[in-house]
Coordinates of all heavy atoms in Angstrom, one line a residue:
H13 N 2.0 0.4 -3.3 CA 1.8 0.3 -1.8 C 1.0 1.3 -1.3 O 1.6 2.5 -0.9 CB 3.2 0.1 -1.1 CG 3.0 -0.2 0.3 ND1 3.5 -1.4 0.9 CD2 2.5 0.4 1.4 CE1 3.2 -1.5 2.2 NE2 2.6 -0.2 2.5
H15 N -2.8 1.9 1.1 CA -3.9 1.3 1.8 C -5.2 2.1 1.3 O -5.4 3.3 1.7 CB -3.8 1.4 3.3 CG -2.6 0.8 3.8 ND1 -2.6 -0.6 4.3 CD2 -1.2 1.0 3.7 CE1 -1.3 -1.0 4.6 NE2 -0.4 0.0 4.3
F52 N 3.3 5.6 16.2 CA 2.8 4.5 15.3 C 1.5 3.9 15.9 O 0.6 3.6 15.1 CB 3.8 3.4 14.9 CG 3.3 2.5 13.9 CD1 3.0 2.8 12.6 CD2 3.1 1.1 14.3 CE1 2.6 1.9 11.7 CE2 2.6 0.1 13.4 CZ 2.4 0.5 12.1
F55 N -1.1 6.2 15.6 CA -1.5 6.2 14.2 C -2.5 5.1 13.8 O -3.6 5.3 13.3 CB -0.3 6.2 13.4 CG -0.6 5.5 12.0 CD1 -1.2 6.4 11.0 CD2 -0.3 4.3 11.5 CE1 -1.5 5.9 9.7 CE2 -0.5 3.8 10.3 CZ -1.1 4.6 9.4
L56 N -2.2 3.8 14.3 CA -3.0 2.7 14.1 C -4.4 2.9 14.7 O -5.4 2.6 14.1 CB -2.5 1.4 14.7 CG -1.2 0.9 13.9 CD1 -0.6 -0.4 14.6 CD2 -1.5 0.5 12.4
Y59 N -6.2 5.6 12.7 CA -6.5 5.1 11.4 C -7.9 4.3 11.5 O -8.7 4.5 10.6 CB -5.4 4.0 11.1 CG -5.5 3.2 9.8 CD1 -4.6 3.6 8.7 CD2 -6.3 2.2 9.6 CE1 -4.8 2.9 7.5 CE2 -6.3 1.4 8.5 CZ -5.6 1.8 7.4 OH -5.6 1.1 6.3
A165 N -0.5 -6.5 6.8 CA -0.2 -5.2 7.4 C -0.5 -5.2 8.9 O -0.8 -6.2 9.4 CB -1.1 -4.2 6.7
G166 N -0.3 -4.0 9.5 CA -0.5 -3.9 10.9 C 0.8 -4.0 11.7 O 1.8 -3.6 11.3
D167 N 0.6 -4.4 12.9 CA 1.7 -4.2 13.9 C 2.8 -5.3 13.7 O 2.7 -6.5 14.2 CB 1.0 -4.4 15.3 CG 2.1 -4.3 16.5 OD1 3.2 -4.1 16.2 OD2 1.5 -4.3 17.7
H193 N 4.2 -6.5 4.7 CA 4.9 -5.5 5.3 C 6.1 -6.2 6.1 O 5.9 -7.1 6.9 CB 4.0 -4.8 6.3 CG 3.1 -3.7 5.7 ND1 2.1 -4.1 4.9 CD2 3.1 -2.3 5.8 CE1 1.4 -3.0 4.5 NE2 2.0 -2.0 5.0
E196 N 9.7 -2.4 8.1 CA 9.3 -1.1 8.4 C 9.7 -0.8 9.8 O 10.7 0.1 10.0 CB 7.9 -0.9 8.2 CG 7.3 0.5 8.4 CD 5.8 0.6 8.5 OE1 5.2 -0.5 8.7 OE2 5.3 1.7 8.3
W197 N 9.2 -1.6 10.7 CA 9.5 -1.4 12.2 C 10.5 -2.4 12.6 O 11.3 -2.1 13.5 CB 8.3 -1.4 12.9 CG 7.4 -0.3 12.7 CD1 6.3 -0.2 11.8 CD2 7.6 1.0 13.2 NE1 5.9 1.1 11.8 CE2 6.6 1.8 12.7 CE3 8.5 1.6 14.2 CZ2 6.5 3.2 12.9 CZ3 8.4 2.8 14.3 CH2 7.5 3.7 13.8
H217 N 7.8 -1.8 2.4 CA 8.9 -1.1 2.9 C 10.2 -1.9 2.7 O 10.9 -1.6 1.8 CB 8.6 -0.8 4.5 CG 7.4 0.1 4.8 ND1 7.4 1.4 4.7 CD2 6.1 -0.3 4.9 CE1 6.2 1.9 5.0 NE2 5.4 0.8 5.1
S244 N 6.3 8.3 4.5 CA 5.6 7.5 5.6 C 6.7 7.3 6.7 O 6.4 7.6 7.9 CB 5.0 6.2 5.1 OG 4.9 5.3 6.0
D274 N 1.6 5.0 0.8 CA 1.3 4.2 2.1 C -0.1 4.7 2.6 O -1.1 4.0 2.3 CB 2.4 4.4 3.2 CG 2.4 3.2 4.0 OD1 1.6 2.2 3.8 OD2 3.2 3.2 5.0
D275 N -0.2 5.8 3.3 CA -1.4 6.2 3.9 C -1.6 7.7 3.7 O -1.3 8.5 4.6 CB -1.5 5.9 5.4 CG -1.3 4.4 5.6 OD1 -2.3 3.6 5.4 OD2 -0.2 4.1 6.1
F279 N 0.1 11.0 6.4 CA 1.6 11.4 6.3 C 1.8 12.6 5.5 O 2.9 12.9 5.2 CB 2.3 10.2 5.8 CG 2.1 9.0 6.6 CD1 2.1 7.7 5.9 CD2 2.0 8.9 7.9 CE1 1.9 6.6 6.5 CE2 1.9 7.6 8.6 CZ 1.8 6.5 7.9
Ligands
LIG1 N1 -1.5 -0.2 7.9 C1 -1.7 1.0 7.4 N2 -0.6 1.7 7.3 C2 0.4 0.8 7.8 C3 1.8 0.9 7.9 N3 2.5 2.0 7.6 N4 2.4 -0.2 8.6 C4 1.7 -1.3 8.8 N5 0.4 -1.3 8.7 C5 -0.2 -0.4 8.2

Side-chain angles (χ1 to χ4, degrees):
H13 188 116
H15 300 259
F52 184 65
F55 157 75
L56 289 177
Y59 182 101
D167 180 356
H193 282 67
E196 178 188 20
W197 291 99
H217 300 272
S244 159
D274 207 3
D275 305 286
F279 304 140

